[in-house]
Amino acid sequence: MKLKLSPTEIFEAYEALDEQGKMEFMMKLMGHLHDTMGFPMPDGMGDEDDNDEWGNNPLDPEEDLLPSMGLTSIVCHPERPSRQLTVRVELKGIKPPIWRKLVIPSNLMLESFAHIILLSMGWDMEHLHQFVKGTTFYSVPTSDDGFDMFSMMENKDSRNYTIGDLIFNKGDKCTFEYDFGDGWEHLITVQESRDYEEGENRNLVTLIGGKRACPPEDIGGVPGYMDFCEAIKKPRSKRAKELIEWYGDYDPEEFDLEIYQYDIEDIDGNGEEMIYE
C-alpha cells in the first residue's frame, strides 16, 4: 500500500527536516523525477557513475569532484597571483580553541583548499561545505545557473576561484562552513603573506601547527560538542557511557602533528608542478 500525502503535508514534512535532511530529500526527489519522467538532473547530482560531470571545469583533475569532498588534489590556478600565505584555521565558538596552521599558495583553488581544511582538521568529509567572504558564498552549485536550490541564496561557483580571491594580505579573513546541520564555522586568518623567492616550490602545501582534536561528526554543533566534553569528564557516568558507546573513545586534547602533516604531504599533486593544456 502506498502512502499518499497532499502537497501541504509534503511541504510541512520538508520544513520539519534539518538542513542535511532537506538536501537529501531534494536529491532523492530529483533522482525520482529523473528516473520516472526524464527530468534533467542538475550538475553534480545523480549516480556515482555520473560524477565525471563535475570535471567539466578545465582546472578540475581527472578524478571525481564530489560536492562534499571538493577537489582531492592540489590544483593551483596558473593565471592568478601566487604568494605564500600562512593561515590559521580555527573553529569558532570553542574554548580552548581547536586550530590548525597551514602554509599555502594564494592561487590554490578553493575546492582544493576545502579538502585540505577538512583533512587537516580531521573531519570525515561526510557533509557539504562552502566558503563565505562578507555576504558572498562560494560553493559548488547545484544547478547550471549557479543558484543553490537548497539554501535558496545566490552563490558563486567555488570551482572558478582561488583562496587568494578571498584573502590575500596579512590580516585578511574569511569563513569556511562545514556540515550545514551542525553548522561548523572555521575562521581563516592570514598571518603572513609574502612573495615566493626564486626556486621556492609554488605548489607546496604544508601543515606547520595545530592544537586539540576535531569534534566528532554529527555531535550537534558547538552546544552538542561542549555538552559531550563535559559529560566525558566523568567517564563512569551513565551519560558518558552512552556517548562513548555512540561516538567511541575521544580525547579532546589529542592531536599528533606528524600524522596530520603526513596526510597533507600525501595529497595528490602536493609540491608537484601542475601542467595545463
Side-chain angles (χ1 to χ4, degrees), residues 189-206:
T189 305
V190 179
Q191 296 187 324
E192 183 180 355
S193 175
R194 68 171 179 83
D195 292 328
Y196 280 99
E197 297 179 3
E198 185 176 354
E200 273 192 292
N201 192 323
R202 294 170 179 260
N203 295 298
L204 182 64
V205 173
T206 55

Side-chain angles (χ1 to χ4, degrees), residues 120-272:
S120 64
M121 290 298 298
W123 295 114
D124 292 337
M125 307 183 190
E126 298 175 346
H127 304 282
L128 300 175
H129 61 260
Q130 66 183 358
F131 289 88
V132 184
K133 176 66 174 177
T135 58
T136 304
F137 297 79
Y138 299 82
S139 62
V140 177
T142 56
S143 64
D144 291 335
D145 60 6
F147 187 77
D148 184 348
M149 72 175 70
F150 301 137
S151 61
M152 303 304 287
M153 61 180 64
E154 293 288 346
N155 290 329
K156 290 190 175 182
D157 189 339
S158 58
R159 294 172 297 179
N160 298 326
Y161 293 86
T162 69
I163 185 59
D165 293 325
L166 278 64
I167 52 176
F168 192 74
N169 298 307
K170 183 176 179 180
D172 286 351
K173 299 179 180 181
C174 68
T175 299
F176 175 75
E177 296 182 356
Y178 171 68
D179 183 356
F180 304 148
D182 275 8
W184 296 110
E185 294 186 343
H186 306 68
L187 178 64
I188 305 169
T189 305
V190 179
Q191 296 187 324
E192 183 180 355
S193 175
R194 68 171 179 83
D195 292 328
Y196 280 99
E197 297 179 3
E198 185 176 354
E200 273 192 292
N201 192 323
R202 294 170 179 260
N203 295 298
L204 182 64
V205 173
T206 55
L207 175 66
I208 60 175
K211 287 290 185 181
R212 309 189 73 227
C214 184
E217 294 276 1
D218 304 315
I219 195 71
V222 173
Y225 170 75
M226 300 303 290
D227 289 344
F228 174 67
C229 289
E230 189 64 30
I232 61 176
K233 289 179 181 179
K234 301 177 180 178
R236 295 184 179 180
S237 67
K238 180 180 179 181
R239 177 61 175 159
K241 290 179 179 179
E242 291 175 349
L243 291 170
I244 293 171
E245 181 179 358
W246 184 259
Y247 293 105
D249 291 329
Y250 177 81
D251 180 358
E253 305 304 322
E254 183 180 6
F255 176 70
D256 191 323
L257 178 60
E258 291 186 359
I259 291 177
Y260 282 82
Q261 283 177 325
Y262 177 81
D263 289 340
I264 296 299
E265 291 171 1
D266 199 44
I267 297 176
D268 288 345
N270 196 4
E272 300 176 7

